[in-house]
């Protein structure tokens, strides 16, 4: 029997009657109703750990744009927090963690309180599973170990992840230990999300592209391969989307070795190349520039159609090449959503 959800059909490589779509970071500050809820909840982390609030902000964009998928509202950094690392979000500064940048500090991390800490997230998934529309798929997610480790070691976001890349060379054993712990934690976390109703998983590896080739194999491919093997022992059929942002010509290796079901492609990927070299391997999701979504107008419309024309010949899910940014006009998101809904495959 075919699944009645367009998004799941596309992930099974079926050519769907319409192109399914959703947007990374579709819940967030560009929506006035999100800003309102965040104020009521108190802070961003309060939102993440209050199931009723988290369910509400997950559903907000669906009410406006009727995407084919809802993504659990949470953050990739709740995992290090659940492992015992201090985390806060300072207004306008992004995440701040107490750096875990020595072998001794890595030894202090543990999974003793891990699932207990994440119980509210599992409850959010359970509630969402009951509340989302019947034709909408529910996406669970986690950060891939490399990207999460860059925040854990560096203590905050950075443009080049230099501290973490250096640490991986100089303290290779300790860094491997951290990655192994993240593989275990992330596998268990995602298995719990699936148990509670997540139908698809996405692994975000936002900073994969800054790794040299040999390090990409070691820190972006191998840990994700292990996580997928761990999940598939329990859920052999679960669709898993990988997003190794900036992987470039290494996308095909990433797909073949990790065993992902589909990939999300970033804005740098040439559409012809994706059609010829990636789409024959697996379904593709992407890749509109979030800044063009801010800019809008005819240029936006032209590019949306260009992406659709190039990739709708194979299994395809429309998305952005990275997350929606706060200054995005909500009416531009409406405009793009309408074009996709009206689009007919050639
Ligand atoms: O709507 C969705 O996509 C679901 C929720 C989601 C969030 N973060 C909510 C969020 C998801 C899937 C993420 C993933 C995430 N978080 C990534 C990987 C994807 C990417 O964007 O590269 C990363 C690297 C993080 C870590 C993180 N969280 C950073 C660097 C920041 C600060 C930057 C910013 O946009 O403020 C966050 C905060 C964050 N995560 C917000 C949201 C809605 C903004 C918080 C607020 O309301 O102030």
């Amino acid at each position: 029997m075919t699944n009645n959800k367009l998004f799941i059909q596309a992930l099974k490589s079926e050519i769907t009657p319409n192109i399914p779509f959703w947007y990374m970071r579709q819940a967030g500050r560009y929506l006035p109703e999100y800003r309102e809820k965040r104020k009521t909840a108190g802070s961003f982390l309060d939102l993440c750990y209050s199931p009723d609030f988290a369910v509400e902000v997950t559903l907000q964009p669906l009410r406006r744009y009727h995407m084919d998928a809802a993504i659990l509202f949470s953050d990739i950094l709740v995992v290090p927090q659940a492992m015992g690392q201090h985390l806060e979000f300072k207004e306008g500064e992004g995440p701040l963690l107490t750096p875990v940048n020595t072998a001794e500090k890595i030894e202090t991390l543990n999974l003793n309180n891990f699932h207990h800490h994440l119980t509210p997230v599992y409850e959010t998934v359970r509630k969402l599973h009951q509340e989302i529309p019947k034709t909408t798929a529910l996406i669970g997610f986690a950060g891939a170990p490399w990207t999460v480790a860059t925040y854990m070691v560096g203590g905050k976001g950075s443009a080049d992840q230099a501290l973490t890349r250096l640490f991986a060379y100089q303290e290779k054993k300790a860094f491997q230990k951290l990655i192994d712990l993240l593989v275990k934690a992330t596998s268990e976390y995602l298995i719990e999300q699936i148990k509670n109703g997540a139908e698809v998983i996405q692994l975000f590896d936002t900073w994969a592209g800054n790794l040299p080739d040999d390090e990409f194999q070691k820190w972006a491919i191998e840990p994700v391969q292990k996580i997928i093997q761990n999940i598939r022992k329990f859920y052999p059929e679960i669709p898993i989307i990988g997003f190794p942002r900036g992987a470039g010509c290494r996308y095909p290796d990433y797909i073949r070795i990790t065993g992902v079901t589909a990939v999300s492609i970033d804005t740098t990927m040439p559409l012809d190349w994706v059609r010829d070299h990636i789409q024959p391997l697996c379904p593709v999701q992407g890749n509109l520039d979030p800044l063009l979504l801010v800019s809008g107008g005819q240029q936006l419309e032209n590019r949306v159609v260009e992406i659709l024309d190039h990739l709708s010949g194979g299994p395809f899910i429309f998305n952005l090449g990275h997350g929606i940014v706060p200054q995005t006009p909500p009416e531009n998101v409406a405009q793009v959503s309408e074009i996709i809904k009206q689009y007919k495959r050639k």
Side-chain angles (χ1 to χ4, degrees):
M1 208 183 84
T2 61
N3 194 295
N4 64 350
K5 303 183 183 192
L6 221 53
F7 181 60
I8 308 274
Q9 290 170 10
L11 289 170
K12 290 182 173 170
S13 289
E14 291 170 24
I15 300 299
T16 53
N18 290 88
I19 305 292
F21 72 101
W22 68 283
Y23 307 106
M24 291 193 262
R25 289 283 189 95
Q26 61 191 23
R29 286 161 293 179
Y30 76 107
L31 291 177
E33 59 269 34
Y34 170 86
R35 297 195 296 269
E36 192 61 43
K37 272 289 160 211
R38 198 183 70 168
K39 225 189 314 168
T40 316
S43 72
F44 169 64
L45 282 175
D46 289 330
L47 266 187
C48 293
Y49 291 116
S50 313
D52 289 335
F53 281 125
V55 167
E56 170 58 23
V57 296
T58 305
L59 299 177
Q60 285 173 345
L62 298 179
R63 293 192 191 112
R64 281 181 180 248
Y65 312 114
H66 310 284
M67 292 87 164
D68 295 283
I71 181 161
L72 159 71
F73 189 86
S74 181
D75 197 81
I76 63 168
L77 299 177
V78 300
V79 165
Q81 195 181 30
M83 288 161 57
Q85 188 169 14
H86 178 78
L87 166 71
E88 58 188 299
F89 281 85
K90 280 240 168 80
E91 194 67 52
E93 278 184 51
L96 283 177
L97 302 95
T98 308
V100 180
N101 51 10
T102 63
E104 293 72 34
K105 288 180 191 163
I106 287 173
E107 289 300 327
T108 68
L109 299 167
N110 64 77
L111 304 185
N112 301 343
N113 197 36
F114 187 75
H115 291 296
H116 178 71
H117 181 95
L118 294 167
T119 304
V121 179
Y122 304 146
E123 193 181 331
T124 303
V125 175
R126 204 156 55 237
K127 288 185 174 206
L128 280 170
H129 179 68
Q130 290 162 356
E131 291 192 28
I132 61 171
K134 293 271 173 292
T135 53
T136 309
L138 179 58
I139 306 172
F141 75 91
W146 165 251
T147 286
V148 175
T150 65
Y151 289 95
M152 294 180 79
V153 174
K156 55 184 177 162
S158 86
D160 58 7
Q161 300 79 53
L163 282 174
T164 311
R165 287 194 282 138
L166 202 55
F167 186 75
Y169 286 130
Q170 293 178 335
E171 295 281 351
K172 195 167 175 181
K173 258 207 169 122
F175 191 69
Q176 182 71 60
K177 212 161 177 189
L178 174 60
I179 293 290
D180 290 345
L181 187 63
L182 281 168
V183 165
K184 182 169 161 48
T186 306
S187 305
E188 290 187 16
Y189 179 49
L190 293 173
I191 287 167
E192 281 306 309
Q193 290 186 30
I194 300 164
K195 228 185 253 172
N196 283 283
E199 299 161 276
V200 174
I201 293 299
Q202 177 148 328
L203 279 163
F204 288 89
D205 214 348
T206 305
W207 302 118
N210 274 346
L211 286 164
D213 192 41
D214 49 343
E215 298 280 291
F216 182 86
Q217 167 72 29
K218 200 151 178 44
W219 308 125
I221 292 185
E222 287 171 17
V224 168
Q225 178 189 24
K226 286 185 195 141
I227 290 171
I228 293 177
Q229 284 169 351
N230 289 340
I231 295 174
R232 295 244 162 96
K233 274 184 224 149
F234 297 92
Y235 297 101
E237 304 288 336
I238 188 91
I240 301 173
I241 305 168
F243 179 38
R245 183 169 159 264
C249 63
R250 300 176 294 195
Y251 264 103
D253 269 353
Y254 176 90
I255 294 161
R256 279 190 276 260
I257 303 171
T258 62
V260 286
T261 311
V263 283
S264 212
I265 53 166
D266 62 74
T267 55
T268 66
M269 297 303 289
L271 299 174
D272 299 1
W273 198 85
V274 172
R275 183 194 56 213
D276 297 342
H277 298 277
I278 301 186
Q279 229 172 10
L281 302 176
C282 70
V284 165
Q285 170 178 284
N287 75 340
L288 183 72
D289 185 353
L291 293 184
L292 189 51
L293 192 59
V294 175
S295 182
Q298 191 60 46
Q299 210 180 345
L300 171 61
E301 189 171 330
N302 293 349
R303 181 62 178 172
V304 171
V305 173
E306 193 175 19
I307 293 172
L308 287 164
D309 282 348
H310 273 84
L311 297 175
S312 63
F316 180 54
I317 297 142
F318 194 98
N319 204 314
L320 306 179
H322 199 187
I324 291 186
V325 296
Q327 65 271 38
T328 305
E331 57 273 21
N332 290 358
V333 182
Q335 182 196 357
V336 171
S337 306
E338 224 25 65
I339 299 169
I340 303 163
K341 283 180 214 164
Q342 301 298 331
Y343 187 82
K344 294 276 169 268
R345 287 190 138 101
K346 300 237 157 42

